[in-house]
Amino acid sequence: KGIRLAQEAQNNPEFGFRLASVYDDRSIDRLEPSFHNIVKGSIEDGIQAARTNEFDVIYIALPIDAQHRIQTMLEAFGDTTATVHVVPDIFMYSLMHGQMSYLGDVQTISVYDNPVSGVQAALKRLEDIVLSICALAIFALPMLCIATAIKLTSKGTVLFKQDRYGLNSNKISVWKFRTMCVTENGDKVTQASKDDPRITKIGSFLRKTSLDELPQFINVLLGDMSVIGPRPHAISHNEEFRKLVNFYMMRHKVKPGITGWAQVNGWRGQTETVEKMKKRIEFDLEYIRNWSLWLDFKIVLFTVFRSFNDKNAY
């Protein structure tokens, strides 16, 4: 990560930083050859250089388990006027909107936090209300036609409700147009697959085009879901994959969505392998860490243009 930081500084002069030097206690042959000429000595040499005001900004790029070494360096750099940053390692990259906070006089770091809170939560809710009302107004007639077609072509209810996990893992009932001849909602739910015999004729078209998801705009108006967010999985799938995929449940730190960052990046549909689910969760967590109204707007556009040409939807 120290090398990555140095490369960022060298490759992006517009950031306003010039890489002055690197200090490392390891043997120089353990570093990339391109950095040999810029390594000026050991960490102690770097501390002495900082005391003579050679640097404006110092970055400490050590693993989090080197706590004692980091503490010793921070105490030493306290005898300088340089700005000091500690670069998070791979553990810290797993933070969910990590930020500093206080409980009384005790300083804490939020490791797993909800990035959509306060004013941002209000903006997100306003976005959901506006988008869902517009969508229901636009699709009211098509939804009526879909409901009629389902009723005329197969036996069973028009709408299908399935239990899912919502915000903070609270159970919600997600609405969909029924696309199968079965309505599974128990301890075992089999994911739809290619040429699945359970899918009705019109159901295949609805699933391929995502039109079966339209009733979920009602879920959005009720406040159970968001227009954009991690797609909710059947509860049985949650219980299965939370044991197999690290940080799986972190996707429930925000409301589930009708569409999401994972879906527009090709990770929609059947997740028959753990690796596929890992990729989906990777994009879900990336969305949560980087949420913004602009990102939501891009996802809406991508969804509109890609929904009718998704090879992963069965």
Side-chain angles (χ1 to χ4, degrees), residues 216 220 225-232 254-260 263:
Q216 287 166 34
V220 175
M225 293 180 63
S226 179
V227 175
I228 300 98
R231 283 293 300 155
V254 297
K255 290 181 182 179
I258 297 175
T259 184
Q263 282 64 44

Side-chain angles (χ1 to χ4, degrees), residues 3-148:
I3 290 173
R4 285 178 55 198
L5 182 72
Q7 289 172 334
E8 287 292 317
Q10 290 180 321
N11 297 335
N12 299 280
E14 68 274 13
F15 291 166
F17 291 95
R18 178 181 62 84
L19 181 62
S21 56
V22 174
Y23 294 91
D24 199 314
D25 284 341
R26 298 175 300 174
S27 171
I28 197 170
D29 58 10
R30 293 180 61 185
L31 300 173
E32 290 188 9
S34 60
F35 287 93
H36 286 182
N37 64 334
I38 204 169
V39 176
K40 303 297 184 181
S42 67
I43 290 176
E44 182 58 35
D45 294 328
I47 292 172
Q48 295 304 319
R51 284 175 174 156
T52 60
N53 296 327
E54 291 190 26
F55 316 115
D56 297 313
V57 184
I58 296 167
Y59 291 89
I60 300 175
L62 290 174
I64 196 170
D65 57 5
Q67 182 177 348
H68 178 71
R69 294 179 66 198
I70 293 174
Q71 181 64 32
T72 300
M73 293 170 64
L74 289 175
E75 291 174 357
F77 287 130
D79 188 32
T80 75
T81 58
T83 299
V84 180
H85 296 262
V86 177
V87 184
D89 65 2
I90 190 64
F91 166 77
M92 300 296 282
Y93 288 137
S94 299
L95 300 187
M96 193 61 63
H97 194 61
Q99 58 183 354
M100 303 299 296
S101 59
Y102 288 87
L103 180 59
D105 293 330
V106 179
Q107 190 177 48
T108 67
I109 299 177
S110 59
V111 179
Y112 304 126
D113 203 353
N114 186 342
V116 188
S117 59
V119 175
Q120 291 179 321
L123 289 173
K124 177 76 165 171
R125 181 60 183 150
L126 179 61
E127 170 195 284
D128 285 338
I129 292 173
V130 171
L131 288 178
S132 55
I133 289 176
C134 291
L136 288 171
I138 293 171
F139 292 110
L141 183 58
M143 288 174 69
L144 179 60
C145 294
I146 291 170
T148 303

Side-chain angles (χ1 to χ4, degrees), residues 53 58 140 150 233 235 271 283:
N53 296 327
I58 296 167
I150 292 173
H233 301 150
I235 288 179
T271 49
F283 279 93

